[in-house]
Amino acid sequence: MERRLAIIGAGTSGLLACKYALEKGFNPIIFEAEEGVGGVWNHTIKSTKLQNAKETYQFSDFSWPSSVSQVFPRHNQVLDYIQSYAEHFDLFPYIKFNSKVISLDRVGESCEDMEAWELWGGSGKPFESKGYWHLVVQDTKSCLTEEYQVEFVILCIGRYDGVPNIPKFSPNQGPEVFNGKVMHSMEYSAMDDVSAAELIRGKRVTIVGSLKSAHDIAAECADTNGVEHPCTMIMRTSHWLLPSANLWGVNFGLLYFNRFAELLVHKPGETFFLSLLATFLSPLRWATSKFAESYLRWKLPLKKYDVVPYHSFLQDISSCQVAMLPENFYGKVEKGSIILKKSQNFSFCREGLIIDGETKPLETDIVILATGYKGDQKLKNMFKSPIFQNHIIGSPSSTVPLYRQIIHPRIPQLAVIGYPESFSNLVSSEIRCQWLLHFLNGGFQLPCMRMMEKEAKAWENNMKLYGGRYFWRSCIGSVNIWYNDQLCKDMGIKPRRKKGFLADLFVPYGPSDYAGLITQD
């Protein structure tokens, strides 16, 4: 029985999948559309830094070099680190660069056969299906195509590039009527540092958005143009962003990233006792959120600039929207090099933007839409079959339904790594890759499709409970340890990874806690 394995994407998830596949005796091939490894880290703006302390964002068996002394390394240092990982484990020979998968289709099984299955792939095992995947791969330089057949595909394409989310406008109120330049933050991030600086220098720049990329670009514009040409930010919704990793002197991780913190929230598949305990501790859950909010209200001039979020800190944590502010961001606001405006709606005119509640147009030269990405659409576009397209994207009121946040119950011999979010995506991807390769190597079988769908729905309901209207981000940030416990149990590995009861309860989990899981099988 052949076990041909294709990995799409050479970001951190794709490299991890390749490394663990090699350890299990597979001979994988990675298709990467870009010229190098690193994924989204190849396209960042000049000021981008790692959001995590580097000790919490590292490969479990490959430490940061001693030459990187910063707690939050710069984007080029992160990219160098990822490239060094690929070199250290000799992954480059398995990567086909400038190779974009333009079609992914299932061959050898009828729709009727697949609809009749009770077990994933017909057997619940990874390589016992009579079908296979047919890939059409285009060389991005020559535009020539090649075709490949493999038994299993691992999608590691990420969700924060490729398909930008562009706001819709009424006729004659969109970018087409504007005399200036309109671009998405994806285009801006893809520019080299010199070109980006030249684009915004001496220009009136308006940024639409309220999350991390919007703040980063605004700070970069302020550094370039100062108060002479202030940058304007238009935000529909404010979010809780951190000036540092400490809240009233308490490390952020101690409040949210240990087992005790997860006792305060309900978890998918929890026992009656844990459910009762989470209900009993709900006042402490509320108090922890208010503790964080009180510090940010005190530390930052949120009320002065009318940017106090309407929702709780817990909701932003539960939807993975808490991020680090650029250095001295509100100092730039105070000086006048950044102007903050809140508006639910805006439209374009010849001179710039018309903002709700303002009588005069906002005159501007460049509008940058930092409005996010359509990650679900990016996944959908991978598939040729309309049936698989409908399966993967679900509905507007649901998340992408993945069992263990990895496998779709109705798409055989395929896994997705790196789509659901956490507060250390690298660490999450590594444990998922270990789980997946343990499964591919016959370590365990999947339950029936009905149970897989039930589990995926339980996680979706939990995301809706705490993430509110931002559930679609598929964030497991507030229950990440609980999630990892389920993967460990599937692999037959002890889920409690720390020595000592108190350490396991109160010390945040990190990369070293999940090192070498599949070597323990």
Side-chain angles (χ1 to χ4, degrees):
M1 181 185 301
E2 290 195 83
R3 304 199 306 172
R4 294 171 295 184
L5 176 63
I7 301 167
I8 302 178
T12 53
S13 296
L15 295 177
L16 284 162
C18 182
K19 184 255 188 182
Y20 284 108
L22 291 169
E23 287 186 359
K24 287 298 184 181
F26 290 90
N27 186 32
I29 181 172
I30 302 181
F31 298 107
E32 170 54 53
E34 302 285 341
E35 294 184 342
V37 301
V40 70
W41 287 103
N42 283 293
H43 304 293
T44 61
I45 67 173
K46 182 180 179 181
S47 59
T48 299
K49 293 183 179 181
L50 189 64
Q51 291 294 285
N52 308 64
K54 64 177 183 291
E55 291 78 12
T56 66
Y57 186 95
Q58 69 176 23
F59 300 101
S60 66
D61 51 4
F62 189 74
S63 300
W64 284 85
S66 58
S67 58
V68 179
S69 58
Q70 297 92 331
V71 177
F72 302 100
R74 300 186 305 275
H75 66 94
N76 58 315
Q77 293 174 308
V78 177
L79 187 57
D80 288 345
Y81 172 61
I82 295 170
Q83 290 171 339
S84 296
Y85 176 84
E87 291 171 359
H88 179 78
F89 289 104
D90 198 24
L91 305 182
F92 281 105
Y94 302 92
I95 306 173
K96 287 182 67 69
F97 292 109
N98 302 308
S99 299
K100 181 178 182 180
V101 177
I102 59 175
S103 177
L104 180 61
D105 197 22
R106 188 73 180 166
V107 177
E109 292 154 335
S110 69
C111 296
E112 291 76 14
D113 288 341
M114 288 188 281
E115 286 295 325
W117 287 342
E118 292 185 4
L119 295 175
W120 179 79
S123 66
K125 299 179 181 179
F127 296 106
E128 292 194 4
S129 173
K130 63 181 179 180
Y132 60 90
W133 287 101
H134 180 260
L135 289 74
V136 178
V137 182
Q138 183 181 62
D139 187 300
T140 58
K141 298 287 187 179
S142 67
C143 294
L144 297 176
T145 60
E146 291 185 87
E147 298 183 8
Y148 296 82
Q149 287 79 41
V150 298
E151 278 67 47
F152 203 96
V153 172
I154 306 176
L155 289 179
C156 303
I157 59 175
R159 60 187 296 171
Y160 291 115
D161 66 351
V163 184
N165 179 42
I166 306 296
K168 294 182 179 180
F169 299 92
S170 301
N172 299 318
Q173 294 184 3
E176 72 279 0
V177 302
F178 177 46
N179 282 343
K181 184 176 181 61
V182 180
M183 64 193 311
H184 191 269
S185 57
M186 181 180 75
E187 300 170 73
Y188 182 80
S189 298
M191 301 175 70
D192 63 78
D193 294 345
V194 174
S195 299
E198 190 61 32
L199 173 73
I200 61 177
R201 184 172 289 113
K203 302 293 197 317
R204 299 167 296 179
V205 180
T206 299
I207 298 162
V208 179
S210 59
L211 288 173
K212 176 61 178 170
S213 61
H215 285 78
D216 281 347
I217 297 173
E220 194 162 289
C221 290
D223 289 339
T224 300
N225 292 328
V227 296
E228 184 178 355
H229 297 288
C231 171
T232 301
M233 276 186 69
I234 300 177
M235 298 181 286
R236 176 178 293 177
T237 306
S238 303
H239 291 277
W240 299 102
L241 301 182
L242 304 176
S244 72
N246 292 322
L247 304 169
W248 294 120
V250 180
N251 185 272
F252 180 51
L254 294 174
L255 294 175
Y256 283 101
F257 301 140
N258 54 30
R259 285 193 183 276
F260 180 77
E262 294 194 6
L263 291 176
L264 310 186
V265 297
H266 292 286
K267 296 165 285 294
E270 65 188 355
T271 63
F272 174 76
F273 172 75
L274 288 178
S275 176
L276 192 65
L277 186 62
T279 301
F280 179 75
L281 294 176
S282 59
L284 184 56
R285 179 174 69 230
W286 175 87
T288 303
S289 184
K290 292 303 177 185
F291 177 83
E293 292 169 28
S294 68
Y295 173 78
L296 296 174
R297 286 172 180 264
W298 170 78
K299 183 69 175 179
L300 304 173
L302 303 180
K303 186 174 182 180
K304 178 179 179 179
Y305 294 103
D306 190 27
V307 289
V308 178
Y310 295 129
H311 55 269
S312 69
F313 188 81
L314 175 63
Q315 182 169 321
D316 268 353
I317 281 285
S318 301
S319 53
C320 292
Q321 295 188 106
V322 171
M324 302 297 290
L325 275 171
E327 187 175 349
N328 194 35
F329 180 83
Y330 279 98
K332 296 178 174 67
V333 176
E334 294 278 3
K335 290 180 180 178
S337 57
I338 297 176
I339 299 173
L340 303 178
K341 291 180 178 288
K342 287 191 71 174
S343 176
Q344 291 300 304
N345 295 290
F346 71 94
S347 59
F348 285 88
C349 62
R350 188 178 62 178
E351 298 85 0
L353 299 174
I354 299 174
I355 300 173
D356 277 8
E358 298 194 6
T359 57
K360 294 182 178 180
L362 172 64
E363 296 183 1
T364 189
D365 301 307
I366 301 172
V367 176
I368 301 176
L369 302 172
T371 46
Y373 297 85
K374 295 182 177 180
D376 55 350
Q377 189 67 43
K378 185 179 181 181
L379 274 178
K380 177 182 177 181
N381 292 346
M382 292 298 304
F383 297 94
K384 182 178 180 181
S385 165
I387 294 176
F388 287 154
Q389 288 181 348
N390 291 334
H391 283 332
I392 198 70
I393 206 168
S395 70
S397 61
S398 67
T399 61
V400 174
L402 300 175
Y403 174 72
R404 297 294 194 241
Q405 310 304 316
I406 300 170
I407 289 179
H408 194 290
R410 298 198 174 273
I411 302 181
Q413 278 66 58
L414 180 136
V416 180
I417 300 291
Y419 184 83
E421 290 189 86
S422 72
F423 281 97
S424 183
N425 289 323
L426 189 153
V427 177
S428 295
S429 290
E430 182 156 14
I431 188 173
R432 288 170 187 160
C433 286
Q434 293 185 79
W435 180 93
L436 177 61
L437 267 300
H438 189 82
F439 165 64
L440 294 184
N441 204 45
F444 59 90
Q445 286 186 230
L446 299 178
C448 68
M449 292 165 58
R450 180 177 57 83
M451 293 303 297
M452 293 172 70
E453 291 174 332
K454 182 179 179 181
E455 191 261 4
K457 186 64 177 179
W459 278 87
E460 177 187 301
N461 291 339
N462 186 263
M463 293 169 186
K464 289 180 176 179
L465 176 64
Y466 293 113
R469 63 191 181 102
Y470 301 108
F471 72 91
W472 53 268
R473 296 177 66 94
S474 298
C475 173
I476 61 169
S478 60
V479 288
N480 196 68
I481 300 173
W482 175 261
Y483 167 75
N484 290 342
D485 286 351
Q486 313 313 306
L487 300 189
C488 287
K489 290 175 183 177
D490 289 344
M491 292 186 280
I493 295 168
K494 182 178 69 173
R496 294 186 178 273
R497 311 297 302 164
K498 294 184 180 295
K499 294 181 179 179
F501 175 77
L502 292 179
D504 192 67
L505 191 61
F506 293 108
V507 177
Y509 269 62
S512 61
D513 295 306
Y514 298 106
L517 294 181
I518 60 175
T519 63
Q520 302 174 24
D521 58 8

